[in-house]
Amino acid sequence: MNAVIRTHQLSRRFGRKEAVRNLSLEVPAGSIYAFLGPNGAGKTTTIKMLMNILAPSGGQAEVLGRNAQALDRAAFTRIGYVSENQKMPDWMTVRQFIDFCRPLYPDWDEAFGQRLLKQFDLPLDRKLGQLSRGMKVKAALLTSLAYKPELLVLDEPFSGLDPLVRDEFIRGVLELTEESNWTVFVSSHDIDEVERLADWVGIINEGELMLSESTASLQAR
């Protein structure tokens, strides 16, 4: 299996607490992988290790064939990352935010970016700090998709969204991933939020991976 993300015995300790313990999983290329577990299960800690924000206490992770701890600026032009707690420059307008992000990515597709802008119905002249939670997520998603990354990582993207906005978001991700052979790794504490999205599922609880398999295999048994 061609894996875009691969971990082996990945662990992270905070003092005496082991937030992630000996996690080994593979995320197939082209899949939408739902990483599920209750709040505090270790999902965000795992993602931060994958994104080279946290160093593991043990084990290792590979992302796009590279050690996660070696991910650099060039590697992140191939990765889109949207976090529940993502900090954004609230003083910028949506237009300024897009203009700021565009030069950072050599493969930014202006036509695709304009299409996303229309699809998400974002107000260009509104400051980010004045946007609703749903609109902020859309702005973050636009600037993470416009350069067509090979891997899209979404950490609890639906948290705080009302059902209509959440459904619109899910439809948008499904449509976009069907057009391109992107890999999506999405974490959530609510299986109902991602059941329409995922073709692979991993479940983590108290830092340990309980299962990791295709949804077809899971449904069959």
Side-chain angles (χ1 to χ4, degrees), residues 64-82:
L64 297 175
R66 298 185 61 176
N67 187 313
Q69 290 185 270
L71 293 178
D72 55 15
R73 178 178 173 179
F76 278 105
T77 64
R78 302 166 61 199
I79 300 169
Y81 174 44
V82 178

Side-chain angles (χ1 to χ4, degrees), residues 16-27:
R16 294 184 177 181
K17 178 177 173 56
E18 201 164 20
V20 176
R21 183 165 50 255
N22 298 328
L23 186 144
S24 297
L25 62 77
E26 293 188 350
V27 177

Side-chain angles (χ1 to χ4, degrees), residues 8-210:
H8 178 67
Q9 301 288 297
L10 190 66
S11 302
R12 173 69 195 201
R13 182 181 293 278
F14 296 98
R16 294 184 177 181
K17 178 177 173 56
E18 201 164 20
V20 176
R21 183 165 50 255
N22 298 328
L23 186 144
S24 297
L25 62 77
E26 293 188 350
V27 177
S31 68
I32 301 179
Y33 189 107
F35 192 48
L36 303 174
N39 290 329
K43 303 185 301 296
T44 293
T45 299
T46 299
I47 287 175
K48 284 183 175 180
M49 288 190 284
L50 294 176
M51 295 292 97
N52 196 19
I53 297 170
L54 283 175
S57 302
Q60 63 182 25
E62 288 184 4
V63 178
L64 297 175
R66 298 185 61 176
N67 187 313
Q69 290 185 270
L71 293 178
D72 55 15
R73 178 178 173 179
F76 278 105
T77 64
R78 302 166 61 199
I79 300 169
Y81 174 44
V82 178
S83 167
E84 174 189 12
N85 300 312
Q86 191 158 331
K87 294 189 183 300
M88 300 175 74
D90 286 345
W91 55 272
M92 281 188 179
T93 64
V94 172
R95 187 193 310 276
Q96 289 170 332
F97 184 53
I98 293 170
D99 289 344
F100 172 78
C101 293
R102 187 186 294 111
L104 301 176
Y105 301 99
D107 293 327
W108 186 283
D109 186 326
E110 186 60 30
F112 186 50
Q114 289 298 318
R115 178 185 151 195
L116 291 173
L117 188 64
K118 184 176 180 181
Q119 180 177 337
F120 293 161
D121 196 25
L122 283 164
L124 279 172
D125 295 325
R126 186 87 58 84
K127 289 186 177 181
L128 294 172
Q130 298 172 335
L131 299 181
S132 67
R133 157 79 177 147
M135 282 292 187
K136 274 191 172 183
V137 170
K138 288 179 181 179
L141 188 62
L142 184 152
T143 54
S144 296
L145 288 177
Y147 52 95
K148 296 188 174 179
E150 295 172 46
L151 170 64
L152 177 62
V153 177
L154 304 172
D155 186 13
E156 293 278 5
F158 311 114
S159 179
L161 300 186
D162 66 59
L164 287 176
V165 174
R166 184 184 64 199
D167 287 348
E168 180 187 358
F169 188 101
I170 291 172
R171 279 199 310 273
V173 172
L174 279 173
E175 289 171 4
L176 294 168
T177 52
E178 283 173 359
E179 291 180 17
S180 305
N181 192 35
W182 295 346
T183 304
V184 180
F185 186 81
V186 53
S187 78
S188 177
H189 62 271
D190 189 345
I191 192 169
D192 292 335
E193 290 180 336
V194 294
E195 63 180 349
R196 284 177 292 156
L197 274 173
D199 47 25
W200 276 76
V201 173
I203 296 178
I204 187 173
N205 189 40
E206 296 183 350
E208 291 192 45
L209 191 68
M210 301 288 103

